[in-house]
Amino acid sequence: MPLVTGKEILAAAKKGNYGVGAFNCNNMEIVQAIVAAAEAENSPVIIQASQGAIKYAGLDYIVGLVTMAAEKAKIPVCLHLDHGTDFQQVVQCIARGFSSVMFDGSKLPLEENIAITKKIVEIAAAVGVSTEAELGKIAGTEDEITVQDKDAMFTDPKDVQYFAEKSGVDSLAVAIGTAHGQYKFEPKLDFARLDKIRSLVDIPIVMHGSSGVPDADVQKAISLGVRKINIDTNIREAFVRGLKGAMDKNPREIDPRKLLGPAREAMIAVVREKIRVFGSSGKA
Ligand code: G3H
Ligand code: 13P
Ligand code: ZN
């Protein structure tokens, strides 16, 4: 079926009180693995591409791969831009067929973040594309967050309602203690902050840096209003594990298909497991 918007997928998730995985892709095997896993679980799915993925694969390849995968799939698929920081590129993605875009203005002053998000929301809404914005700064696992940093970086509930109303954005990524990449320590999520945020806005909340967050914590976050759960690192790990396993098993193998096939299988298993944890199995 044609691509569907993030807004539609997340509205259904809100109604059914479950979360939907947003899985990052960089190449054909990753796209195929995500769709195969979602189909096996009969789950809606969001496939997202970062600026780095677009640089690596090319915008046309990302759009071509995901659009074709969606057309063939029996489940709803959304193509989402992850962490767009460049206004022109976000608009380009809208024009080329993404069904959802994120503008990440988290490093900008609040009013500037609102102003650019609002402009993107207006353009996207005019052509039926949904939007995500970021408020607060989601750390990388290399960033050591001190107690003082915490208040400076985490989403401030006092800005949330103002931001949502002024920008008109469809979904909001928040900083509540997760980080991108492999965790060095188990993350400690600020559930009280999430609960407060949820009480202030009605739009779906997005959790970035979700790889490595214990399942029970992800499920608690879903019960507190998180609807979109971003996973990249766990897919990367599975890819390399599958690839390395195949290379170790047959060091003389030179057929890429014999190496990338097992990588794809390992990713399917991880994505299926995540979908089950998020509760979206059977919700397509
Ligand atoms: O949020 C970051 C995602 O994991 C994408 O990472 O920018 O290296 O593609 P990337
Ligand atoms: P992970 O690095 O935890 O997989 O997070 C991915 C992400 O948030 C993409 O936007
Ligand atoms: Zn992210």
Side-chain angles (χ1 to χ4, degrees):
M1 59 178 94
L3 289 170
V4 300
T5 63
K7 193 175 177 176
E8 283 170 77
I9 288 180
L10 300 180
K14 186 178 180 214
K15 220 164 146 197
N17 200 25
Y18 56 88
V20 176
F23 301 100
N24 284 75
C25 71
N26 295 290
N27 67 11
M28 181 189 78
E29 281 76 11
I30 303 177
V31 171
Q32 289 177 330
I34 296 166
V35 173
E39 282 200 309
E41 291 296 327
N42 194 31
S43 166
V45 75
I46 298 167
I47 304 181
Q48 53 189 14
S50 68
Q51 294 179 154
I54 291 170
K55 194 168 170 206
Y56 173 77
L59 185 56
D60 291 336
Y61 274 84
I62 296 284
V63 172
L65 282 169
V66 180
T67 306
M68 199 238 293
E71 289 290 348
K72 284 162 63 89
K74 292 173 210 68
I75 43 125
V77 176
C78 165
L79 170 57
H80 175 77
L81 170 66
D82 188 30
H83 293 286
T85 55
D86 178 61
F87 176 80
Q88 290 191 349
Q89 190 185 40
V90 177
V91 177
Q92 248 176 30
C93 288
I94 295 170
R96 294 291 188 90
F98 278 57
S99 57
S100 181
V101 288
M102 174 186 193
F103 173 67
D104 176 358
S106 59
K107 289 191 176 71
L108 302 173
L110 179 66
E111 292 300 334
E112 216 174 310
N113 187 359
I114 291 173
I116 304 176
T117 301
K118 185 168 186 279
K119 246 164 71 174
I120 286 166
V121 168
E122 281 167 7
I123 296 165
V127 288
V129 168
S130 58
T131 50
E132 175 182 336
E134 181 170 325
L135 189 58
K137 294 185 189 70
I138 295 153
T141 44
E142 68 284 358
D143 299 330
E144 269 195 50
I145 304 177
T146 62
V147 182
Q148 298 96 285
D149 290 340
K150 199 175 129 177
D151 271 330
M153 293 186 67
F154 284 13
T155 306
D156 190 339
K158 85 168 165 31
D159 297 332
V160 162
Q161 202 176 3
Y162 179 71
F163 185 93
E165 274 168 19
K166 283 268 178 187
S167 68
V169 78
D170 296 318
S171 62
L172 187 65
V174 295
I176 53 162
T178 60
H180 291 116
Q182 284 179 319
Y183 287 95
K184 295 190 189 83
F185 308 97
E186 196 166 287
K188 272 203 86 56
L189 305 200
D190 190 340
F191 290 114
R193 190 178 296 257
L194 175 59
D195 197 24
K196 180 84 190 144
I197 293 168
R198 193 263 312 256
S199 73
L200 294 165
V201 281
D202 210 30
I203 52 177
I205 297 168
V206 181
M207 192 160 92
H208 285 244
S210 308
S211 295
V213 176
D215 291 350
D217 284 1
V218 175
Q219 286 169 337
K220 185 164 178 192
I222 292 169
S223 77
L224 293 172
V226 165
R227 298 292 162 223
K228 174 173 178 276
I229 300 120
N230 285 13
I231 300 283
D232 186 1
T233 300
N234 285 156
I235 296 180
R236 294 178 178 196
E237 290 164 344
F239 184 100
V240 173
R241 195 169 56 245
L243 182 66
K244 204 167 173 302
M247 289 175 90
D248 289 347
K249 220 161 144 190
N250 190 356
R252 300 173 75 87
E253 183 58 67
I254 59 146
D255 183 342
R257 295 166 298 190
K258 303 251 168 66
L259 304 172
L260 293 172
R264 188 168 56 193
E265 289 306 315
M267 293 188 285
I268 293 174
V270 164
V271 174
R272 283 193 72 168
E273 199 183 303
K274 293 289 168 191
I275 287 173
R276 282 187 226 125
V277 169
F278 303 160
S280 67
S281 297
K283 309 287 187 189

